[in-house]
Each structure stands twice: as C-alpha cells, then as structure tokens.
Amino acid sequence: MSELVRGLPPLLADARHLAATVQLGEHGRRRSGMGDEFWQYRAAHAGDEARAIDWRRSARADVQFVREKEWQAAQSVHLWLDDARSMEFTGDPKRQAKADRARLLALSLAVLLIRAGERVGLADGIAPPRSGEVQLLRLSEAFTRPAGEADYGEPQARAMLTGSRAVFLSDFLGDPAGVEGALAQAADKGVTGVLMQVLDPVEEAFPFDGRTIFESMGGTLTHETRKAGDLRDRYRARLEERKERLRHLARTAGWLFTTHHTGEPAQGALLWLYAALRKGG
C-alpha cells in the first residue's frame, strides 16, 4: 500500500471505494456550465479564501464580498449532513449507525461529483463549494466532527448559491418546520435538490413488544410502556404521515424525496442520489 493511500482518512478511503463500485453511464462527463462572466456579489462566508474577496467592492460596505461567476453556481452542489444525536442510532451493533451511513453516502457523492467537474461544499457555509482533492479532505474532516448536542437536526441552507443544487441527509424525525423553512429558503434562491431520509430498519418495522422504555439518543425524551406492541400500528401510521409531509414539501419546492434504510446496500442509494442530481441539473 502506498504512503498516499495509507495517509487517507478512513472515511475518505471508504468513500472512494464505494464510489468506485458505482457504474455510471455518464462517468467522467464534465459540465461546461453557463459561462465565466461576472454574475453577482455575495457576502463572504467562513472558509472563503482571501483571494476570492473583491476588496474594492468590500471597501464600500461594512462586510466583505465575494465576486461570483455564472459557472460557479451552475456547477455547485451543497451538502447538509444531520449531525444530531438521533443519527447515532442503530438497531443492531453489526449495522452502521445512521450517521455513519449518511457520512459515507455524502462523501462518496462528493467524490463522484468532483470527478465529474462539479464544485461541492456545505450548505451551512463552513466549506464553500470547491473542486479538487483538497476539498474532499475538507469535507471528510467536516463530516467526522463530533455529534451535535441536539436530539434532532434542522437543515442549514443559509449559504446556498442561487441556482445551485443541494442534498440534505437526515432521519428527519425532528420538527418538520425546520425542513419547511430550509426548503423555502432554497426555493427563493432557485435551488433544487434532494431530501434523503436515512432510517434504521428497526425504526421502520417497530418490532417491540411488552414492557419497553424508549429514550432519545440525547436522553432528553423518555417514554415507558407495558404494551409496546399496541403502539405499532399508530407508530407506523405516524411515520408514514411524516414521509408524506416530507414528500409534499419536497415536491412543492421542486425537490425529490426518498427513504434509504441502513440495512440496504449503500451502492443503490449513492447511484440514486447521483442520478437525481444529474437529472435535476
């Protein structure tokens, strides 16, 4: 094994391996974009390089501005990866936690997109869209940060470029109002994309019976019942209602929605994500 491969972060190595297993009809196709003419100014975000800042424009205001060109938006994909505590759940020690599967899918998708000439970044502005190997290392580092403190996550969409695309990966088990707000921001900017709900098979099947104590991963929510089996039908109905609401929100914003289970192979989910973005782009 070469020193280069040995030095890769484990997540990035796994992502490259998964990306290599996906056979793509458009493999290697680079998009030329809409042109390289000036398009708009935007406020600088954390992570923007100093050379990207237009100092003349910034001198006329109290904030710094970045000068964007058309192709930067046309070829940009923003990722939001839920880092809440709920994503740490797995119903089987032998199965990936939801967070681990979401990280693998997000970074594998970034590998494929950058290979095809796209610019990939984070929707929260921490890592603005860029291309190249260094960006993959930045994303890998961002995805392996410790989990947040909240039980459930809320999408961040403040840094998305007008006319770009986005992918949100989450279990979407928190308040749907957060998703609704993020998609409204996206629609205002003409951003299209994909919601991928990542669930453990246990969360879908609800195979519990008898006395059971349910506790959120952060420990802030607890429910005890002596007849868990009696809750199964109501739980499944509520979960289906949640999916239908997410499907409706996505459709209204011009996005796509799907559910992926961690008991299924990751390759199928990755191929679906890539094809959905290419179709939408």
Side-chain angles (χ1 to χ4, degrees):
M1 181 184 296
S2 69
E3 289 299 323
L4 179 61
V5 174
R6 186 180 293 115
L8 285 177
L11 175 59
L12 182 53
D14 290 344
R16 288 187 186 282
H17 177 73
L18 177 59
T21 67
V22 175
Q23 299 299 315
L24 301 171
E26 295 180 287
H27 178 76
R29 182 173 69 89
R30 290 179 174 269
R31 301 174 61 203
S32 60
M34 296 186 296
D36 57 2
E37 297 301 317
F38 168 73
W39 182 40
Q40 67 174 9
Y41 289 109
R42 68 164 172 81
H45 301 305
D48 283 329
E49 297 178 358
R51 64 183 180 182
I53 296 174
D54 188 308
W55 297 106
R56 180 177 297 180
R57 174 65 181 84
S58 301
R60 302 199 301 269
D62 295 329
V63 297
Q64 294 177 338
F65 287 93
V66 169
R67 183 184 180 92
E68 291 181 339
K69 298 179 180 180
E70 286 183 304
W71 67 270
Q72 292 177 315
Q75 294 184 293
S76 293
V77 178
H78 300 271
L79 305 175
W80 175 72
L81 187 60
D82 190 347
D83 67 350
R85 300 295 297 276
S86 67
M87 293 293 288
E88 297 177 346
F89 176 76
T90 179
D92 187 332
K94 298 178 182 179
R95 190 162 55 234
Q96 276 188 318
K98 293 183 290 184
D100 292 334
R101 176 57 61 86
R103 292 185 190 108
L104 177 61
L105 288 173
L107 195 56
S108 300
L109 180 63
V111 170
L112 292 176
L113 291 169
I114 286 177
R115 180 188 298 167
E118 310 280 355
R119 296 159 54 91
V120 183
L122 301 182
D124 58 9
I126 292 177
R130 293 192 180 97
S131 58
E133 295 298 310
V134 174
Q135 182 70 347
L136 289 174
L137 290 171
R138 292 191 189 101
L139 295 175
S140 178
E141 181 180 358
F143 291 157
T144 51
R145 289 175 301 191
E149 296 298 320
D151 269 327
Y152 301 102
E154 183 173 300
Q156 301 296 317
R158 61 181 179 273
M160 295 193 299
L161 300 175
T162 301
S164 60
R165 289 160 293 156
V167 176
F168 293 171
L169 290 142
S170 171
D171 55 17
F172 296 114
L173 295 179
D175 187 349
V179 182
E180 187 171 9
L183 289 179
Q185 289 183 53
D188 287 343
K189 293 184 175 183
V191 176
T192 58
V194 174
L195 300 180
M196 175 168 277
Q197 182 182 44
V198 181
L199 295 177
D200 187 274
V202 166
E203 294 174 313
E204 192 79 51
F206 198 83
F208 307 105
D209 268 311
R211 182 176 180 273
T212 306
I213 298 176
F214 299 99
E215 185 176 60
S216 65
M217 295 299 292
T220 61
L221 302 173
T222 303
H223 177 73
E224 181 177 356
T225 178
R226 295 183 180 277
K227 297 181 178 180
D230 292 348
L231 302 176
R232 186 172 299 115
D233 289 343
R234 279 183 289 168
Y235 169 85
R236 288 176 173 173
R238 290 288 297 275
L239 180 60
E240 189 53 42
E241 289 174 4
R242 170 63 59 93
K243 289 181 182 181
E244 186 53 41
R245 180 171 180 181
L246 291 167
R247 197 173 290 115
H248 173 73
L249 290 174
R251 185 166 54 246
T252 300
W255 287 41
L256 298 174
F257 169 79
T258 191
T259 299
H260 170 65
H261 300 110
T262 55
E264 301 169 349
Q267 289 92 333
L270 176 59
L271 182 57
W272 188 93
L273 281 171
Y274 185 84
L277 284 180
R278 303 298 277 184
K279 182 178 180 180

